Amino acid sequence: MTFAAKSDYLLETLWVPVGTADRSVYALTLTNNSDRPIKGFRLGVSGPARIDPAAEVEGGQLLVRLSNYAEFAPPEGFELKPGATWTLKAHGMSFEPRHWTDGANAAFLVLSDGTNAPVAVLASRAHGDNAELKRGAAVYPVPKVAPVPVSIVPWPQAVAVSGQLLAPPGLDLKAEGSEASAAAKAFADLTASLFPVEGIVRPAAEGGFPVELSKASHLGPEAYTIRFSPAGVAISGGSQTGILYGLITLGQVLRGARSHPGTFVFPTGGEIKDEPALAWRGTHLDVARQFYSTAEVERFLQLMAWNKLNRFHWHLTDDEAWRVEIDAYPALTEIGAWRGHGRKIPPLLGSGPEPTGGYYTKAAVRQIVALAASLGIEVMPEIDIPGHSYAMLQAIPELRDPEEKGSYHSVQGFPDNCLNPAREETYRVLEVIFDELIELFPMRAIHVGADEVPLGAWSGSPEALTRLRALAGDEVAETHAKRLNVVTNTHGADEIDGSGAAVLQGEFLARVQAFLASRNCVTGGWQEAAHGNVIDKAKSLLFGWRTVEASAALAEEGYDIVVCPGQVYYLDMANSPAWSEPGGSWAGWSDPEKLYTFDPVEGWTDAQKKHLLGVQCCIWSEPMTDRAVFDRLVFPRLSALAETGWTRPERKSFKRFEALVGLMPVLYGFYAAE
């Protein structure tokens, strides 16, 4: 959070990196603004920064640490008097802060009588950095003179227009046939939601300019043509979606000409011919780390459509939460969808002591999927397994090997968070879950995660070690058993290729894929799903999140690939290295120009490019408690990614994009003060 709410207690955090001091220090200062002293209390804190369990803590004691949640106690007998402060200093972070949103963003007290008290939290500061903290989307003002006469994002393949008509107040849609009628309705609903008082669609009686809509069978399914004349506009498309994309382009032309008549025109002649460069133009949204209501997801889908993005990768589960209703296992949402003090999932990433979270009912999922379909968007759900399953295992603990001993931790600091590949119960439960999911999602592609399984996963499970011995021999099993209770949650902990964990995961994925294939589904996975080369390439789709080179290597092996490297296409990464920018930078940083000009297939051969399906940006939600931060991180980079997916490389121009993108809407309406 940026501004502290009124409270009896206030927490301030300060990051002092190495170089500024002899060793790094994360200082937390609690102020008692109440009129009574407190003693025997505990301080609970959450935020992306992670204090290592072995960290040295001055001024108190670290009692509990689970991933991003930490609970501290002051020295025994300590009393915090009214107006006084208590400061803790932690030396040793398993995830060090680099931006203001990395620090604590929620806190509370557990008082001596067991009740909770809220604590207001100021945004974290870095030593010596007093720059104003940035929130809200960066403002891209429309110039007086633009490089092109019409405002369209992403830029079409061919624009040859002439003349200038006084921009009409709206568009009167005249559809021919069922697909054109469906596209007209979708466009009317879309513009009424995104621009509710602009009246972009209106009848002739209200000044609507005639627009004829029709299907053209010779065009590709997402292709369209727009022909301008003084008397009206004709749009033809290869399908309902193609017609809709033509309408979206025309709507953008109209809005540009109407709001900036000195810069953009509404043509009286010529045409626009257009079709996408890439088939997969996707956006991933993590709803596990932060929950987004159905209304927020629907609005986000509308923004995707306005950018002609056509794949929604819905990340529904992770260590922190399970977000989709499953009739057979109600505990998944009863337990896994909620975080709070005293619950099986503690406060994490900005949640406080009270129950916080939510989930999507099946009715809500169907509603969202139907809206997406009307906008030309296919929805691919992700259930992240076998790793990233802490929430699921809290809800269904019987999935664990009852004889498992010791512990292992994920790179994010979650203990024992992987489904056991050696247990038949694992597959029985998953098959029931997948059958319920498949009924909700007509795309017939299910993403199963397969990322960041810890090196030490299942090293204390007799069942897993027995299975590993049968698969890979005694030596591999014995080596793996020695990883029990060894700290592996450090950088590179998920680099498991060739390990016992990879062997077990490989068998797990082969079984899961075989089941999904029996239901006529393609298996999606992060690039780690290729470990051991055990999945069927013809029935899989991988998402390359590490490097372009790694994605090229997988394409060389014959895997179909969607490119989404974290260094550039992860929209939770900050816009710059500055502390004042929100977001993370563990993978790097990328401002809109860097993302726009990035070549996702640099160095790829023609043979490798045959396996390229497209590109995707990924929105991970750790820093998104503040929705103004969402707008800052996602926009206009979402549009930059959209243009990479739609516009052929030789037609791209950041100078043009910069002049036009200011007309594109953002989700929450927060804009930066600069």
Side-chain angles (χ1 to χ4, degrees):
M1 61 196 299
T2 304
F3 303 104
K6 182 174 176 56
S7 173
D8 284 343
Y9 308 100
L10 175 69
L11 181 69
E12 299 172 82
T13 55
L14 175 69
W15 171 243
V16 183
V18 172
T20 307
D22 292 338
R23 54 179 177 161
S24 63
V25 178
Y26 184 53
L28 303 92
T29 299
L30 178 70
T31 302
N32 182 357
N33 290 322
S34 75
D35 58 2
R36 59 194 180 279
I38 55 172
K39 61 187 302 184
F41 63 90
R42 305 193 305 276
L43 171 67
V45 177
S46 74
R50 292 190 289 272
I51 297 170
D52 195 272
E56 177 189 339
V57 178
E58 298 178 31
Q61 181 183 0
L62 178 61
L63 300 176
V64 176
R65 186 271 199 183
L66 193 147
S67 186
N68 307 287
Y69 175 69
E71 201 168 294
F72 300 94
E76 190 170 347
F78 176 82
E79 182 178 74
L80 186 60
K81 297 179 180 179
T85 62
W86 167 50
T87 298
L88 287 159
K89 293 183 178 179
H91 303 281
M93 307 285 287
S94 59
F95 177 75
E96 293 190 346
R98 296 182 183 178
H99 301 275
W100 69 268
T101 49
D102 284 337
N105 52 19
F108 62 94
L109 294 181
V110 182
L111 299 175
S112 58
D113 62 1
T115 61
N116 296 321
V119 175
V121 181
L122 289 177
S124 291
R125 305 300 313 205
H127 180 75
D129 191 329
N130 295 312
E132 184 176 354
L133 305 181
K134 293 180 172 62
R135 302 167 71 249
V139 177
Y140 281 73
V142 174
K144 291 183 179 179
V145 178
V148 289
V150 287
S151 177
I152 307 166
V153 177
W155 189 249
Q157 304 306 334
V159 178
V161 296
S162 60
Q164 180 175 0
L165 182 74
L166 180 66
L171 306 171
D172 180 23
L173 308 184
K174 302 178 181 298
E176 178 185 319
S178 60
E179 292 187 62
S181 296
K185 182 181 186 308
F187 180 72
D189 292 345
L190 176 63
T191 53
S193 178
L194 292 180
F195 317 108
V197 296
E198 294 187 21
I200 290 175
V201 175
R202 61 175 71 192
E206 297 181 15
F209 195 65
V211 180
E212 296 181 354
L213 308 174
S214 62
K215 181 179 178 180
S217 58
H218 68 280
L219 294 176
E222 293 185 303
Y224 65 89
T225 300
I226 305 176
R227 293 183 176 87
F228 294 91
S229 77
V233 176
I235 296 177
S236 55
S239 69
Q240 175 185 329
T241 299
I243 298 167
L244 174 63
Y245 285 161
L247 280 166
I248 288 169
T249 292
L250 183 62
Q252 291 182 4
V253 169
L254 174 63
R255 293 192 74 243
R258 204 165 62 180
S259 59
H260 298 275
T263 303
F264 301 116
V265 306
F266 191 91
T268 58
E271 66 179 10
I272 295 172
K273 293 183 177 180
D274 202 9
E275 63 180 342
L278 297 174
W280 187 291
R281 307 178 306 282
T283 300
H284 156 287
L285 180 64
D286 159 28
V287 300
R289 275 56 178 268
Q290 309 291 347
F291 181 67
Y292 301 81
S293 67
T294 294
E296 290 172 288
V297 174
E298 290 184 332
R299 172 83 174 191
F300 185 72
L301 289 169
Q302 292 168 338
L303 291 175
M304 284 181 61
W306 198 251
N307 284 273
K308 300 187 179 77
L309 293 163
N310 68 347
R311 299 289 188 273
F312 180 50
H313 177 171
W314 202 1
H315 188 89
L316 288 164
T317 75
D318 216 296
D319 291 309
E320 292 86 349
W322 182 284
R323 300 292 193 201
V324 59
E325 181 181 34
I326 300 295
D327 293 335
Y329 300 104
L332 285 170
T333 48
E334 290 170 358
I335 293 172
W338 306 95
R339 306 198 284 257
H341 185 248
R343 302 183 72 89
K344 289 191 175 182
I345 304 174
L348 295 166
L349 298 168
S351 57
E354 66 285 344
T356 303
Y359 65 93
Y360 305 99
T361 65
K362 287 188 171 182
V365 171
R366 291 188 181 98
Q367 178 179 316
I368 288 167
V369 170
L371 173 65
S374 75
L375 297 172
I377 298 169
E378 292 188 287
V379 182
M380 177 182 66
E382 179 182 353
I383 302 299
D384 203 345
I385 52 175
H388 287 283
S389 295
Y390 184 82
M392 183 180 182
L393 287 166
Q394 298 307 299
I396 313 178
E398 55 268 28
L399 290 179
R400 297 191 184 279
D401 178 351
E403 302 301 319
E404 187 166 3
K405 59 184 178 180
S407 197
Y408 60 88
H409 287 77
S410 73
V411 70
Q412 287 86 11
F414 283 94
D416 311 317
N417 71 329
C418 301
L419 302 181
N420 197 315
R423 308 211 80 209
E424 285 303 312
E425 182 72 0
T426 296
Y427 303 101
R428 189 186 70 79
V429 170
L430 286 176
E431 288 172 8
V432 171
I433 289 171
F434 283 133
D435 272 338
E436 291 199 30
L437 278 177
I438 290 166
E439 188 270 330
L440 294 172
F441 293 95
M443 185 179 178
R444 292 299 181 266
I446 306 292
H447 197 294
V448 300
D451 62 314
E452 296 185 326
V453 166
L455 188 61
W458 314 297
S459 55
S461 164
E463 291 180 353
L465 292 172
T466 298
R467 185 60 188 155
L468 181 58
R469 187 171 285 107
L471 291 170
D474 292 344
E475 184 178 349
V476 172
E478 289 166 9
T479 298
H480 194 61
K482 292 176 183 177
R483 295 195 171 104
L484 182 62
N485 295 330
V486 174
V487 175
T488 60
N489 64 321
T490 54
H491 182 68
D494 51 347
E495 298 282 3
I496 65 170
D497 207 10
S499 71
V503 172
L504 288 167
Q505 176 177 266
E507 182 184 46
F508 172 87
L509 292 175
R511 283 196 59 172
V512 167
Q513 185 185 51
F515 173 79
L516 291 175
S518 75
R519 300 298 195 263
N520 297 314
C521 289
V522 170
T523 299
W526 301 106
Q527 65 186 67
E528 292 95 326
H531 285 323
N533 198 27
V534 296
I535 60 173
D536 184 346
K537 298 180 179 68
K539 300 173 183 176
S540 63
L541 169 60
L542 297 187
F543 292 74
W545 67 274
R546 292 185 183 269
T547 64
V548 168
E549 294 78 13
S551 293
L554 290 168
E556 181 73 26
E557 293 177 27
Y559 291 100
D560 288 339
I561 290 286
V562 173
V563 178
C564 49
Q567 313 93 295
V568 185
Y569 287 171
Y570 273 25
L571 299 190
D572 54 313
M573 296 297 102
N575 280 277
S576 87
W579 177 268
S580 57
E581 285 284 3
S585 59
W586 59 265
W589 63 270
S590 66
D591 61 17
E593 183 173 8
K594 182 177 179 180
L595 190 153
Y596 184 92
T597 57
F598 178 76
D599 182 358
V601 290
E602 183 178 6
W604 286 41
T605 66
D606 289 341
Q608 290 167 345
K609 289 178 182 177
K610 290 179 180 178
H611 289 284
L612 173 72
L613 293 192
V615 293
Q616 176 172 293
C617 59
C618 296
I619 302 170
W620 299 100
S621 293
E622 284 90 340
M624 305 300 191
T625 306
D626 183 338
R627 295 311 206 229
V629 166
F630 187 103
D631 279 353
R632 178 78 183 179
L633 292 172
V634 175
F635 306 101
R637 294 191 294 181
L638 183 81
S639 296
L641 183 282
E643 191 143 314
T644 294
W646 185 278
T647 309
R648 300 191 186 282
E650 66 274 11
R651 299 280 289 164
K652 290 179 68 180
S653 162
F654 184 73
K655 183 178 179 181
R656 180 195 63 232
F657 174 82
E658 198 173 28
L660 307 182
V661 76
L663 286 165
M664 301 296 282
V666 305
L667 183 56
Y668 296 104
F670 290 104
Y671 288 92
E674 70 232 339

